[in-house]
Amino acid sequence: MSFYIGLMSGTSVDGIDAVLCDIQNDSIKLIDSLCFPIPLSQQEKIHAISNSQYHGDAIEMMGFLDVELGQTFSQAVDALLDKAQFSDLNISAIGSHGQTIRHIPNHQQAFSLQLADANIIAANTGITTVADFRRRDMAFGGQGAPLIPAFHQSIFASNESERIIVNLGGIANITVLVNEKDTIGYDTGPANTLMDQWIKKHQDKSFDLDGQWAKSGQLNNALLNAMLTDPYFSQESPKSTGREYFNLAWLEKFDINTLDPEDVQRTLLELTAHTLSDAIDNHLDKGEIFLCGGGAHNDFLVERIKVLIPSFDIDSTFRLGVDPDWVEAMGFAWLAYRTLNRQAGNLPSVTGATEATVLGAIYPT
């Protein structure tokens, strides 16, 4: 047996998804999992530095936050091992994505920056830690994202059917798995991030449970059509994006001041469903779609996706035996496994890198 831990914190910044997995020859079994809360003070710092709204020395603030998050990620590992009643001596490595504070893939000096000092994670847990996965792909000209399609290909590809895996996190991304063709994957645009930010502003809630608030509003087609003119949606892949692009400042460029907040929320949900379905239509006319990520629990969002692409059989990854809440964290456990075994972790057909390469930096104990 070969046990790995995966750690993932996404654009919601509310918690660290931590998973314990048994990985054997690229087969993976989830042993245990939990979501470890990120303290509110750290959430506020992450949002502040991500949105350039900090006060004082930005470099100093980033350094302090890197240390704090390293400690919090370490605590997530300890909590997971306690829950699973597992010894750290049995763990081969931790794969830590960290917390993204900036992702700029389309600049001459493209970069992606994640915090949560892996030196601290390795020192505090006594477990070899693999981190900084994205920048190696970018060094070979790739977007550094999305990285999880390689994992999707490994565990979800089928010889019997054509499949699309949809991750509905803060950002929506798709992985197109078609037999005898290179895997394609990219970010289609916002999934939950704009809806989360909007409901936080107006109701001080972290997310719109089951899309209930969005469902109470009226779709504003003028706003939807205006948002759809954003060039990101028509951009060819490879492409990736994040909260640094799709945020409230982006939304406020449009004429929303006279609209009821619930109507804006309804229209943001439609934006997610519309851009996702448009992207899928570019690749397949029919097939199987499996959803994962937090948005897979948004009943109204799933309903709208099904209406827009009725020829597809749509379900969550539960049907494939994998809990949709933990797919991404499992992916980073798998990437750590790949790194330690000197196996490539990226797919050039997805990221646009010039070659497949081993990802991440190893922080030994």
Side-chain angles (χ1 to χ4, degrees):
M1 292 185 178
S2 182
F3 298 103
Y4 287 78
I5 288 173
L7 302 175
M8 175 68 199
S9 179
T11 54
S12 64
V13 194
D14 55 350
I16 301 162
D17 290 340
V19 296
L20 172 62
C21 301
D22 181 12
I23 304 178
Q24 299 287 337
N25 298 322
D26 279 356
S27 69
I28 185 167
K29 179 182 178 182
L30 179 65
I31 305 298
D32 214 333
S33 59
L34 60 79
C35 184
F36 190 83
I38 296 175
L40 182 59
S41 62
Q42 292 180 22
Q43 292 184 40
E44 291 172 345
K45 292 174 186 176
I46 293 165
H47 290 313
I49 200 163
S50 297
N51 299 328
S52 299
Q53 294 171 342
Y54 47 80
H55 299 285
D57 188 327
I59 295 175
E60 189 172 275
M61 181 180 181
M62 187 176 74
F64 290 154
L65 185 57
D66 193 30
V67 172
E68 288 182 43
L69 287 173
Q71 294 166 343
T72 302
F73 274 59
S74 302
Q75 293 164 8
V77 172
D78 292 340
L80 177 65
L81 292 176
D82 286 346
K83 180 173 182 280
Q85 297 185 328
F86 227 79
S87 169
D88 56 11
L89 298 176
N90 295 325
I91 308 299
S92 297
I94 297 165
S96 175
H97 171 266
Q99 177 65 60
T100 298
I101 61 167
R102 198 62 54 88
H103 180 68
I104 308 291
N106 295 314
H107 193 276
Q108 186 176 357
Q109 285 79 39
F111 74 95
S112 187
L113 184 58
Q114 289 74 40
L115 300 185
D117 187 350
N119 294 285
I120 292 173
I121 299 172
N124 287 357
T125 64
I127 302 170
T128 295
T129 300
V130 186
D132 192 15
F133 289 98
R134 299 193 183 278
R135 293 196 292 178
R136 180 75 173 187
D137 179 83
M138 298 181 90
F140 285 96
Q143 293 268 315
L147 294 180
I148 298 303
F151 177 59
H152 292 164
Q153 175 181 273
S154 175
I155 68 168
F156 292 138
S158 169
N159 292 325
E160 284 75 43
S161 61
E162 296 178 332
R163 291 176 172 172
I164 295 180
I165 311 300
V166 176
N167 177 49
L168 295 169
I171 299 297
N173 54 65
I174 63 173
T175 302
V176 183
L177 302 172
V178 176
N179 293 330
E180 299 180 3
K181 290 187 178 181
D182 287 340
T183 294
I184 297 170
Y186 55 90
D187 293 344
T188 63
N192 300 306
T193 186
L194 289 174
M195 291 187 285
D196 289 350
Q197 292 176 66
W198 190 247
I199 198 170
K200 181 69 174 177
K201 177 178 179 179
H202 289 276
Q203 297 191 0
D204 198 28
K205 294 179 180 178
S206 298
F207 62 96
D208 186 4
L209 180 64
D210 295 329
Q212 293 174 359
W213 191 44
K215 197 169 187 177
S216 74
Q218 297 294 316
L219 174 63
N220 187 293
N221 284 299
L223 174 60
L224 176 63
N225 291 332
M227 292 191 293
L228 288 171
T229 64
D230 187 284
Y232 183 82
F233 300 125
S234 57
Q235 180 182 327
E236 296 292 323
S237 63
K239 62 179 180 178
S240 58
T241 189
R243 182 174 173 143
E244 56 280 316
Y245 188 87
F246 288 108
N247 51 40
L248 290 184
W250 179 87
L251 177 59
E252 288 163 358
K253 294 187 300 183
F254 303 99
D255 185 14
I256 59 173
N257 293 330
T258 61
L259 303 181
D260 291 334
E262 62 269 26
D263 294 349
V264 175
Q265 186 77 348
R266 171 67 182 88
T267 307
L268 289 174
L269 184 141
E270 195 70 16
L271 176 69
T272 294
H274 194 106
T275 51
L276 178 63
S277 61
D278 278 355
I280 289 170
D281 281 339
N282 287 332
H283 300 288
L284 292 176
D285 296 323
K286 61 182 180 178
E288 297 178 326
I289 293 175
F290 294 98
L291 308 176
C292 58
H297 301 294
N298 186 323
D299 292 341
F300 188 42
L301 175 60
V302 174
E303 175 187 320
R304 291 302 304 151
I305 293 170
K306 288 180 177 180
V307 167
L308 291 172
I309 42 176
S311 61
F312 286 86
D313 176 16
I314 301 177
D315 206 339
S316 85
T317 56
F318 263 128
R319 200 167 95 192
L320 300 177
V322 182
D323 190 318
D325 289 335
W326 308 115
V327 172
E328 197 160 17
M330 290 172 67
F332 282 96
W334 179 85
L335 284 170
Y337 165 85
R338 301 281 294 184
T339 299
L340 290 195
N341 287 279
R342 307 301 298 165
Q343 296 174 359
N346 65 331
L347 290 176
S349 61
V350 170
T351 67
T354 56
E355 63 184 75
T357 184
V358 178
L359 302 178
I362 300 172
Y363 298 78
T365 57

